[in-house]
Amino acid sequence: MADKLTGEARTKAIAGLSGWEEVDGRDAIRKTFRFPDFIHAFGWMTAMALEAEKLDHHPEWANVYRTVEVTLTTHDVGGVSDLDIKLASKMDALAG
Amino acid sequence: MADKLTGEARTKAIAGLSGWEEVDGRDAIRKTFRFPDFIHAFGWMTAMALEAEKLDHHPEWANVYRTVEVTLTTHDVGGVSDLDIKLASKMDALAG
């Protein structure tokens, strides 16, 4: 089960990521990734799909050619959880 | 080069697809695909990514777990073209 992040722990966890921002009106975080082209964008999505399935925690994401906009939240806890931070870290790491 | 579809040809082409609708305020078509789970949704996206790259014509698409919302338009011609119809047909066929 995921742990919902609140207060200081939540703020710190998000600040520890690279370039993720709050989503207006939702307890969620968002980041837009840009790649050289579609092959790189979708290649990255594929790697992240495997990680997401392994974590049993999936992103909301939209792809337009070389851009991928990702929103992370944990429906089970109604907000940002440690699982979102974990998945976000993996996304940052592989996007390089 | 893609051919922009207009008038009767455009209407017929879209009607020949399965469940695609006009997008308000844009010359584009849209369909929401639903799959049994994330593995099926992303598996289908992967197959379509290969087709898109081969056609050098890419969708705008958003995935949330087992749902994929696709928007197709051809920027080069400023509207729906034969390439969109081709990609839409492939999407319908593989979604089954």
Side-chain angles (χ1 to χ4, degrees):
Chain A
M1 182 64 182
D3 291 320
K4 181 169 175 171
L5 293 170
T6 56
E8 181 98 4
R10 185 179 184 285
T11 306
K12 257 194 177 162
I14 296 172
L17 301 170
S18 170
W20 290 80
E21 58 183 21
E22 303 278 352
V23 177
D24 278 352
R26 284 182 74 184
D27 189 347
I29 54 174
R30 179 169 49 202
K31 180 175 176 178
T32 300
F33 293 88
R34 283 184 187 79
F35 300 90
D37 54 30
F38 178 76
I39 290 181
H40 286 80
F42 199 82
W44 176 84
M45 288 179 77
T46 304
M48 289 306 115
L50 300 180
E51 296 286 2
E53 189 61 23
K54 202 160 59 176
L55 284 175
D56 194 20
H57 186 60
H58 303 82
E60 301 172 21
W61 47 3
N63 161 241
V64 180
Y65 196 56
R66 65 191 191 91
T67 298
V68 186
E69 187 186 285
V70 181
T71 301
L72 298 178
T73 189
T74 304
H75 295 104
D76 289 350
V77 302
V80 175
S81 78
D82 55 333
L83 273 180
D84 296 307
I85 303 300
K86 201 166 178 177
L87 188 53
S89 298
K90 285 182 187 287
M91 287 181 160
D92 287 345
L94 198 79
Chain B
M1 181 66 181
D3 292 318
K4 180 169 176 170
L5 293 170
T6 56
E8 180 97 5
R10 185 179 183 286
T11 306
K12 258 193 177 162
I14 296 172
L17 300 171
S18 170
W20 291 79
E21 57 183 23
E22 303 278 352
V23 177
D24 278 352
R26 284 182 74 186
D27 190 347
I29 54 174
R30 178 168 51 201
K31 181 174 176 178
T32 299
F33 293 88
R34 283 183 187 79
F35 299 90
D37 53 29
F38 179 75
I39 291 179
H40 285 81
F42 199 81
W44 175 85
M45 288 179 76
T46 304
M48 288 306 114
L50 300 180
E51 296 286 2
E53 189 61 24
K54 202 161 58 174
L55 284 174
D56 193 19
H57 185 61
H58 304 82
E60 301 172 21
W61 48 3
N63 161 240
V64 180
Y65 197 55
R66 64 190 192 92
T67 298
V68 186
E69 187 186 284
V70 181
T71 301
L72 298 178
T73 189
T74 304
H75 296 104
D76 288 351
V77 302
V80 175
S81 77
D82 54 332
L83 273 180
D84 297 306
I85 303 300
K86 202 166 176 174
L87 188 54
S89 298
K90 285 181 187 288
M91 287 181 161
D92 286 345
L94 198 80

